[in-house]
Amino acid sequence: MSTSTFDFEKFSALQSLELHDYMEPLIANTYLRISDYEVDELMDRLDEYDHFHLVYAMLICSNFAPERFVEFLPKYLSHNEMSVRAAATNILRKLKPQLITPRLIGIVEEVASEQKSDYLRTLANELKVCNKDN
């Protein structure tokens, strides 16, 4: 498999389907190169992105800086866009057990309570099981 390099400027400039066409091969490529600076830039701009950019930024940040990104995840469980909520849920489910802390579980439970969501309560319970195994 070839190595692909992330281009932050291109990522920022593309919209909708063009963004999808650029990012999907990069996300699928296990040999993606991205600088620490670019990961930091993505994290710094999470609240500025439309939902298309946000989902891809979340995927990149969760792969390249999961320890730092995990604290941002729970707020996206109540995002307006289903694609963002789904990405946040999938990322949380794939976290390494050592990243699942009682604090993270508590925040997910708070979001579940605020959203009156049985689905998120189930997610919080799944995270508890992972935390117990840790």
Side-chain angles (χ1 to χ4, degrees):
M1 183 172 285
S2 65
T3 300
S4 300
T5 302
F6 179 77
D7 182 336
F8 183 80
E9 296 303 320
K10 188 172 188 174
F11 171 82
S12 298
L14 294 174
Q15 297 298 314
S16 193
L17 290 176
E18 292 172 334
L19 177 65
H20 171 80
D21 291 345
Y22 171 66
M23 288 302 301
E24 282 303 310
L26 293 180
I27 294 297
N29 186 339
T30 57
Y31 297 103
L32 175 64
R33 287 188 308 183
I34 182 169
S35 71
D36 289 342
Y37 170 80
E38 289 171 320
V39 172
D40 290 343
E41 283 294 307
L42 289 171
M43 281 201 271
D44 289 346
R45 297 181 187 194
L46 288 171
D47 291 334
E48 300 170 18
Y49 288 134
D50 61 28
H51 67 281
F52 298 108
H53 286 86
L54 181 54
V55 167
Y56 288 119
M58 291 168 63
L59 292 171
I60 290 171
C61 291
S62 68
N63 284 326
F64 289 90
E67 307 82 19
R68 293 185 299 149
F69 182 63
V70 70
E71 69 185 71
F72 296 102
L73 271 173
K75 74 178 185 179
Y76 297 113
L77 294 171
S78 59
H79 195 275
N80 294 352
E81 294 289 336
M82 178 57 142
S83 59
V84 175
R85 294 191 308 268
T89 300
N90 289 335
I91 292 166
L92 281 166
R93 282 197 166 121
K94 293 176 183 176
L95 282 177
K96 294 178 182 174
Q98 60 267 30
L99 296 176
I100 300 171
T101 64
R103 181 175 179 273
L104 175 65
I105 294 166
I107 295 169
V108 172
E109 288 175 324
E110 285 176 28
V111 174
S113 179
E114 290 168 6
Q115 298 295 311
K116 298 176 176 42
S117 170
D118 289 335
Y119 180 77
L120 292 178
R121 283 188 197 93
T122 300
L123 174 63
N125 288 331
E126 290 173 12
L127 295 175
K128 285 179 187 176
V129 169
C130 289
N131 184 255
K132 284 181 186 174
D133 293 342
N134 187 13

